[in-house]
């Protein structure tokens, strides 16, 4: 059930974006945008579509913010992979944009994908699209994702060790902010109480990052489609290095239980979101 | 009169942004955002405030999109100055962000400024802010500014000579798209006919770029606050290299006459915009 919904999200988002980019021409930057958007779990799009479904908003409308959040997430990956940042050669099982093209193209691809994220989200057919757009800007900006990225980079350069609180703060920006936007999108579109979904997002976001650290430390590089063991080789403080593998696994499981509890108010309608929470900590990619 | 309005725009935008960024903390990325936003003509903000004034929309509301477009313009400068792009050390009379900090910070500063542009523009108090936001995304993205930047970079690498039409296409993306957004913002906010302002923007945008090429070829580097003679030393086709200095000056003057004609419909109310058009081709910075 969850896997079907996840596949459906990936399909609808790739189709929506491919259609949208049809008349964008074929210069390198646009080709590289199309390339970078392919693959990946499209988990954030799934969250948008599922939260919309809770309030009877269908994929015909929810596909716009769902496509928007994936454009935003993809921009962050393209820039994060640059030599001046994380310097990665592999992403989603293929060469990173700057390896396949060059740094200038990758910078422009990320820039254009961020603009595309807003273009897709600010579709006038989408209820409260202005609020979604403004929230998206906040989630992506210097108090959200960019803040997390910056703290991450400064941490790598600094000799001061990070505490668990530092890491939580960093991750709430780096991955938590976009996940929270995606999970609450449905409630914002429907003008409904966002609190249950906000709580779910906070628990799932943190569990997602712990799972990412576990994946980095113990995962299979081929399945993951990206370089692993990066944190250990950079001697970087993570949930795993600070808590140990077993405690980190236990913590992630507790967070998922709390996440499922948070959305119990929606009854059976939230079953797929509960399965998603479990997937987040059991995934191998 | 025009100069007073330009100074007023700069002041209101710097104040609006400084206030807005007050609770963004003091990590390097945020400090570098504040640094990069200082100075410059703030001509795009002026266009937003003046076009709003035509329809009796005051600076209390228009300051939001005015600040937004300056954040967007500044992001494009910060990324454009990167070593992988234009590799410039000087901007607005001071060190570029990547020279004063580093490449990673400059990438993140640009990314955060683009998000900030949407955050400021999508203020719910601003009428039709969703439409402004969506237009801004289109103007900034892969069919607008990024397209222009990409064509510019590919042109530098290519041995094929650019025609005048190529340069016009490139410049309509690189500088024209944001100028048009700024000039038409007032009409969009007021739900009025955008055509006169759209025409004005097209003429002024092209004249602006011809003036920029003239400045690069014949200007004073100290007054300009950035490196000049870049096009000639890169052997780059420009309006000046293709038309000659005198013809380029004549063409710019003709465009300004046409720009002023386009907004004659607004009578005396458009006097400041007419003065602005004249300033665009007479500026030395």
């Amino acid at each position: 059930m969850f896997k079907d919904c996840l596949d459906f999200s990936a399909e609808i988002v790739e189709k929506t974006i491919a259609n949208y980019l049809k008349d964008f021409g074929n210069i390198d930057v646009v080709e590289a945008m199309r390339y970078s958007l392919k693959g990946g779990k499209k988990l954030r799009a799934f969250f948008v579509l599922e939260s919309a479904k809770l309030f009877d908003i269908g994929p015909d409308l929810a596909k716009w913010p769902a496509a928007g959040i994936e454009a935003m997430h993809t921009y962050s990956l393209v820039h994060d992979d640059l030599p001046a940042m994380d310097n990665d050669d592999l992403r989603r099982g293929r060469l990173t944009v700057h390896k396949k093209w060059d740094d200038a193209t990758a910078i422009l691809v990320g820039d254009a994908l961020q603009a595309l994220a807003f273009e897709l989200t600010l579709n006038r057919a989408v209820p409260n699209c202005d609020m979604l757009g403004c929230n998206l800007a906040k989630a992506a900006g210097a108090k959200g994702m960019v803040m997390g990225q910056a703290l991450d980079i400064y941490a790598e350069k600094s000799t001061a060790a990070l505490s668990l609180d530092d890491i939580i703060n960093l991750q709430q920006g780096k991955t938590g902010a976009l996940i929270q936007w995606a999970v609450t999108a449905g409630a914002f579109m429907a003008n409904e109480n966002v609190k249950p979904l906000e709580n779910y997002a906070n628990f799932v976001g943190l569990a997602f990052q712990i799972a990412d650290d576990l994946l980095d430390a113990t995962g299979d590089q081929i399945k993951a489609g990206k370089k692993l063991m990066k944190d250990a080789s950079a001697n970087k403080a993570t949930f795993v290095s600070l808590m140990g593998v077993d405690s980190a696994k236990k913590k992630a499981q507790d967070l998922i239980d709390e996440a499922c509890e948070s959305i119990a108010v929606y009854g059976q309608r939230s079953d797929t979101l509960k399965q998603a929470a479990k997937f987040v900590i059991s995934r191998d990619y």
Side-chain angles (χ1 to χ4, degrees), chain A:
Chain A
M1 169 96 178
F2 157 69
K3 281 283 189 180
D4 292 341
C5 292
L6 191 62
D7 289 347
F8 174 75
S9 305
E11 202 182 307
I12 200 166
V13 160
E14 296 214 353
K15 206 184 284 177
T16 301
I17 292 180
N19 274 334
Y20 198 83
L21 291 181
K22 251 181 196 154
D23 68 341
F24 274 59
N26 292 300
I27 58 171
D28 276 6
V29 164
V30 176
E31 290 296 0
M33 286 169 76
R34 295 187 180 108
Y35 171 89
S36 67
L37 286 159
K38 281 192 189 124
K41 292 179 286 295
K42 303 282 196 282
L43 185 63
R44 291 154 189 82
F46 160 86
F47 282 137
V48 172
L49 291 165
E50 282 303 310
S51 75
K53 211 194 282 176
L54 287 180
F55 306 101
D56 295 315
I57 296 172
D60 51 317
L61 292 180
K63 71 179 180 184
W64 296 111
I69 193 69
E70 291 297 337
M72 186 66 84
H73 173 55
T74 304
Y75 121 67
S76 77
L77 301 179
V78 172
H79 278 188
D80 199 35
D81 288 338
L82 281 165
M85 308 277 285
D86 264 8
N87 195 19
D88 274 309
D89 297 351
L90 205 60
R91 173 67 71 180
R92 292 174 171 170
R94 291 170 304 155
L95 286 179
T96 46
V97 173
H98 70 272
K99 287 301 275 185
K100 197 168 161 76
W101 284 272
D102 52 35
D103 289 10
T105 301
I107 293 168
L108 291 171
V109 163
D111 290 345
L113 286 173
Q114 179 167 192
L116 181 66
F118 289 102
E119 204 173 328
L120 292 165
T121 302
L122 289 164
N123 187 306
R124 278 210 137 178
V126 178
N128 293 318
C129 73
D130 57 340
M131 213 192 273
L132 285 181
C134 192
N135 288 347
L136 184 59
K138 287 176 181 164
K143 289 212 278 192
M145 186 171 65
V146 168
M147 180 270 287
Q149 291 276 27
L151 293 181
D152 202 17
I153 281 175
Y154 300 148
E156 280 170 28
K157 289 181 191 161
S158 158
T159 50
L162 290 187
S163 69
L164 211 51
D165 278 350
D166 292 335
I167 295 181
I168 289 174
N169 184 33
L170 189 162
Q171 294 304 344
Q172 267 167 351
K174 193 167 170 173
T175 56
L178 290 201
I179 287 178
Q180 178 165 320
W181 185 89
V183 167
T184 57
F188 276 105
M189 282 190 265
N191 265 330
E192 293 280 356
N193 179 18
V194 300
K195 209 66 207 161
L197 289 170
E198 212 168 81
N199 290 335
Y200 170 90
N202 285 334
F203 293 126
V204 166
L206 195 52
F208 182 91
Q209 194 53 48
I210 295 177
D212 231 37
D213 289 352
L214 284 162
L215 188 62
D216 187 74
T218 66
D220 176 329
Q221 191 152 309
I222 302 295
K223 280 185 190 157
K226 61 182 177 185
K227 198 172 163 204
L228 297 179
M229 290 297 284
K230 286 177 57 185
D231 296 332
S233 63
N235 214 357
K236 197 165 139 186
T238 69
F239 290 107
V240 174
S241 74
L242 289 177
M243 302 171 76
V245 168
D246 291 341
S247 299
K249 278 187 178 164
K250 171 81 173 59
K251 176 71 184 170
Q253 183 58 56
D254 290 348
L255 287 164
I256 292 314
D257 293 343
E258 290 187 275
C260 292
E261 191 92 358
S262 309
I263 51 170
V265 57
Y266 300 116
Q268 285 194 334
R269 309 187 67 147
S270 62
D271 281 356
T272 319
L273 281 173
K274 287 179 191 156
Q275 290 166 27
K278 290 178 183 116
F279 163 77
V280 156
I281 59 163
S282 63
R283 68 200 162 91
D284 54 11
Y285 67 106

